[in-house]
Amino acid sequence: MKLLRIFFAAALAWLPSNTFSAAIAVGSGPDSSFFLIESPNVGQRLYEVSYTHDSENPFDGFFLFESLLNADPELDAIVNNFGTEEAPNIFLDTITFNSVSESNDFSSGLFWAHWVAGGQVGQTQSLGGPVDSFLDVPDQEWTFGSGVSAPFRFIEPGSYDAFTFDSDSNPSFVIPEPSSLALLLPSGLLLLRRRR
């Protein structure tokens, strides 16, 4: 047992300097994407969401977010849909974690910003207009998101989405190499399984 603890401590020390309050695995399936929530009160909470990828009918970032909301009893959220029911355009307003809420306050410059790495984002020619094209997002760097729901965000295996509550600065979480992350998730920080 002591050797096991030393192994996991060494694995965590080898990762980039991320501090987690939890690493939570959600769902089932051969493919995984990741969702990070980062704020002063929540800290960094990284979720691995497992699913079966279908390139013909890809999931959006909101699928990831709903999955972790359904699985983590400490977490709740209020979202606003600025689109329609048929074509949603969902943005986060409030996250509540352990009964502490953080809500958008644009006058003070604090709001929940969406960030992505990997997968695709839909681009529009005009604000509120239809999606005209799709762009691949770089895998190992954060890019400001254009909306968490389809058709503005489609996930692919290994992609990341994040909500940060820190004006518009990108997440401080350094995206690890996939082999490094595999060492972190089984380390027993906190695993929560939910069938989908």
Side-chain angles (χ1 to χ4, degrees):
M1 190 64 177
K2 185 176 181 183
L3 279 174
L4 192 61
R5 273 183 282 172
I6 291 170
F7 170 77
F8 287 132
L12 289 174
W14 183 62
L15 288 170
S17 58
N18 296 319
T19 54
F20 297 93
S21 57
I24 299 176
V26 175
S28 62
D31 304 303
S32 292
S33 290
F34 301 89
F35 207 105
L36 173 74
I37 297 174
E38 183 177 289
S39 75
N41 287 327
V42 174
Q44 288 182 341
R45 297 183 65 81
L46 179 67
Y47 298 82
E48 177 184 20
V49 180
S50 296
Y51 59 97
T52 300
H53 178 64
D54 177 359
S55 59
E56 297 298 315
N57 298 291
F59 288 109
D60 62 7
F62 193 58
F63 159 77
L64 296 177
F65 190 59
E66 281 186 311
S67 297
L68 59 99
L69 286 174
N70 290 332
D72 190 343
E74 300 173 323
L75 190 66
D76 198 9
I78 297 172
V79 296
N80 293 319
N81 182 2
F82 292 103
T84 64
E85 192 171 322
E86 297 78 28
N89 190 6
I90 296 171
F91 285 85
L92 179 64
D93 180 73
T94 303
I95 280 184
T96 301
F97 177 69
N98 276 344
S99 302
V100 176
S101 295
E102 291 177 314
S103 299
N104 292 337
D105 182 0
F106 294 103
S107 63
S108 68
L110 290 175
F111 55 89
W112 287 104
H114 180 226
W115 295 88
V116 296
Q120 291 188 325
V121 293
Q123 299 292 297
T124 62
Q125 294 293 331
S126 62
L127 187 62
V131 170
D132 302 303
S133 62
F134 294 92
L135 296 176
D136 291 327
V137 180
D139 289 331
Q140 292 297 121
E141 62 186 64
W142 290 110
T143 302
F144 194 75
S146 59
V148 72
S149 53
F152 301 100
R153 173 62 174 157
F154 289 108
I155 62 172
E156 294 174 355
S159 63
Y160 282 77
D161 282 66
F163 280 134
T164 61
F165 190 71
D166 182 18
S167 183
D168 57 352
S169 61
N170 64 315
S172 63
F173 176 85
V174 178
I175 299 171
E177 294 293 328
S179 58
S180 302
L181 189 63
L183 292 173
L184 172 67
L185 288 171
S187 69
L189 290 175
L190 174 60
L191 291 177
L192 173 62
R193 287 270 175 213
R194 178 180 176 270
R195 289 275 173 216
R196 242 178 114 79

